[in-house]
Amino acid sequence: MIVLATLLCAYQLSLFLILVRGAAKLSPLKTETQEHLPLPSLSIVVPARNEEKTIETGLRSLVKMDYPGLQIVVVNDRSTDGTREKSEAFQQKWPQIKIKNLTELPKGWLGKNHALHTGAQETQTELILFTDADVEMDEKFLKGAVRFFQKGSLDHLGGIPQVTSRSWYLYPLIGVFGLGFSLFTRPWQGKNAKKDRAVGIGAFNLVKRSSYEAIGGHQKLSLRPDDDLKLALVMKRSGFRTDCVNGVHGMRVEWYPDFPSLARGLEKNVMTGFEYSFFLAFLSLGVFAMTFIFPFVFPFFATGKALVVAWISVGLLLMSYLGQLYLARLPLWCVPLMPLATPIIWVIFARACLLTHLRKGVYWRDTFYSLEALRSNRMPLPGRAKLS
């Protein structure tokens, strides 16, 4: 028992140290002016499908951006609600907004990916920002991000937003998801040219047009539900420079409004992280349980010195969770709820894998995509490809 407790403690300590070092390496977005550098021309591409409840909030934030000559392209992707009407109402007030209405989805594309690819073709600027319709940014955030982009001579920059929800009980789940996401993707390694890791974020993916066009736009990601995440990886594997910054102090987005939305929303994302390998998904669910659930169960079976070491493991895990909450600006009162949140997230992940298997595909935005089609767009897992 003491050997198992020691191994568990060493494992949790290694993860804690990885997160501490990673947090130190994750680039902060400093509001440096560097006024001597001319700002490049920039367009924002906003895909929108049935976003009538959020499109006004997102566009109102974008039109207030402190950035000269800013252009905004709203791609209305076959919406059946009032998205088009609300977008056109904004266009009448702000001429920098351009609306592209799509009426059909070509074969071999996911809807959002096609909307992003089409929207980029509607622009002529040096830089393109891909963002979601429900994202809010502070007025100075975009300029600061571009200055950071220039200083690093980047081709791609991902920005991690502060995640909010109108349902307070989702925050512990968001924290657990974020902790797992950090360990799986290692966003701080994107700027390391020797590491086959890079992270893009749907709320903020800033790219240099010439580099984006060099990889063929979103064509290599046409059937990827995680297109935002993998855009950075595709660009890095093509020899371009990428980075990811913590943008929680200047950018916000509501992840999901309630629990059913959260469970449904993750249905499309989980299996793509395993490249649609159910064997890999099974192993990963086991690793997740061992990492985030087993430490809370083990103390009930340990005695003596093993019990002491087991509680140290619990403390290390809670410290990792606390650090994730702090960096993400999530409520710190979530810490004691972690033992309840972790099995719930595990069940959501397992349910997503099971539904993908039973359905032989996934539903996204009222459209079904078969496993056969999705598997045609698989790529090497992060850390597995040789960088050019």
Side-chain angles (χ1 to χ4, degrees):
M1 188 70 73
I2 185 62
V3 173
L4 179 58
T6 302
L7 290 174
L8 178 63
C9 187
Y11 177 60
Q12 290 297 333
L13 177 61
S14 66
L15 294 181
F16 175 73
L17 293 177
I18 287 173
L19 289 167
V20 169
R21 288 196 295 263
K25 293 179 180 178
L26 185 62
S27 300
L29 186 59
K30 299 179 181 179
T31 56
E32 300 177 7
T33 56
Q34 296 178 284
E35 297 295 344
H36 61 284
L37 292 176
L39 287 167
S41 57
L42 188 149
S43 295
I44 301 178
V45 175
V46 184
R49 176 170 170 81
N50 295 337
E51 298 281 1
E52 66 174 355
K53 295 181 180 180
T54 59
I55 191 69
E56 290 184 348
T57 300
L59 290 181
R60 188 174 293 111
S61 168
L62 295 181
V63 296
K64 292 180 180 179
M65 287 292 101
D66 178 22
Y67 200 94
L70 185 64
Q71 303 173 21
I72 302 170
V73 179
V74 179
V75 185
N76 172 34
D77 180 26
R78 301 165 292 138
S79 295
T80 57
D81 62 359
T83 299
R84 177 173 181 172
E85 290 75 12
K86 290 192 174 183
S87 300
E88 291 175 345
F90 261 84
Q91 186 183 39
Q92 293 177 1
K93 296 180 180 179
W94 288 278
Q96 66 266 42
I97 295 177
K98 178 180 180 179
I99 300 175
K100 176 70 175 180
N101 293 305
L102 302 180
T103 58
E104 58 183 24
L105 178 64
K107 185 178 179 180
W109 283 91
L110 298 184
K112 179 183 177 182
N113 306 10
H114 177 247
L116 292 169
H117 187 77
T118 302
Q121 293 176 329
E122 296 292 318
T123 68
Q124 302 294 328
T125 52
E126 298 170 75
L127 302 182
I128 305 172
L129 172 64
F130 299 109
T131 187
D132 294 329
D134 53 353
V135 176
E136 296 181 72
M137 301 181 201
D138 293 344
E139 293 183 18
K140 302 290 185 179
F141 183 81
L142 183 56
K143 182 182 288 186
V146 171
R147 294 300 191 193
F148 183 92
F149 193 94
Q150 290 177 301
K151 184 177 180 180
S153 299
L154 299 175
D155 300 283
H156 167 271
L157 177 65
I160 301 173
Q162 180 185 9
V163 178
T164 66
S165 178
R166 69 194 72 175
S167 300
W168 64 268
Y169 58 84
L170 290 187
Y171 281 115
L173 304 180
I174 295 171
V176 171
F177 181 89
L179 182 58
F181 179 85
S182 296
L183 288 170
F184 180 73
T185 62
R186 314 285 173 92
W188 53 86
Q189 292 184 348
K191 59 188 173 185
N192 188 334
K194 297 181 180 180
K195 298 290 186 179
D196 179 42
R197 291 185 182 275
V199 173
I201 305 293
F204 193 94
N205 265 331
L206 181 64
V207 298
K208 183 184 294 184
R209 166 184 291 281
S210 58
S211 305
Y212 173 74
E213 291 179 343
I215 66 167
H218 272 74
Q219 288 182 336
K220 290 185 178 180
L221 303 163
S222 61
L223 286 167
R224 300 285 315 191
D226 59 348
D227 66 288
D228 52 349
L229 188 68
K230 290 300 192 292
L231 176 61
L233 193 59
V234 168
M235 295 191 73
K236 187 172 186 179
R237 287 175 174 174
S238 299
F240 296 111
R241 298 189 63 177
T242 181
D243 199 356
C244 185
V245 296
N246 188 350
V248 297
H249 294 282
M251 181 169 49
R252 295 158 300 282
V253 62
E254 182 176 46
W255 198 30
Y256 293 103
D258 50 45
F259 185 80
S261 300
L262 170 63
R264 288 193 301 268
L266 291 180
E267 289 176 11
K268 71 179 188 302
N269 290 325
V270 176
M271 281 304 301
T272 189
F274 309 129
E275 297 300 327
Y276 303 101
S277 167
F278 289 100
F279 174 72
L280 184 58
F282 177 78
L283 291 180
S284 299
L285 287 171
V287 172
F288 183 96
M290 181 185 69
T291 304
F292 298 120
I293 300 177
F294 182 67
F296 294 117
V297 177
F298 187 61
F300 292 98
F301 300 93
T303 58
K305 293 181 179 179
L307 179 59
V308 174
V309 177
W311 280 115
I312 293 175
S313 298
V314 171
L316 288 169
L317 178 55
L318 291 176
M319 287 173 61
S320 296
Y321 186 55
L322 176 63
Q324 176 65 35
L325 295 173
Y326 177 79
L327 288 176
R329 298 190 74 185
L330 293 171
L332 301 186
W333 54 255
C334 296
V335 171
L337 296 178
M338 188 185 187
L340 297 176
T342 49
I344 293 174
I345 287 291
W346 187 93
V347 170
I348 292 175
F349 285 176
R351 173 181 176 273
C353 296
L354 179 61
L355 287 177
T356 303
H357 172 69
L358 295 176
R359 294 169 175 172
K360 306 299 181 184
V362 300
Y363 283 95
W364 188 14
R365 298 282 186 170
D366 305 318
T367 303
F368 178 76
Y369 304 98
S370 69
L371 261 179
E372 181 182 5
L374 294 170
R375 281 174 169 162
S376 69
N377 203 179
R378 287 186 291 188
M379 60 179 61
L381 289 168
R384 300 293 181 86
K386 293 183 178 180
L387 298 177
S388 57

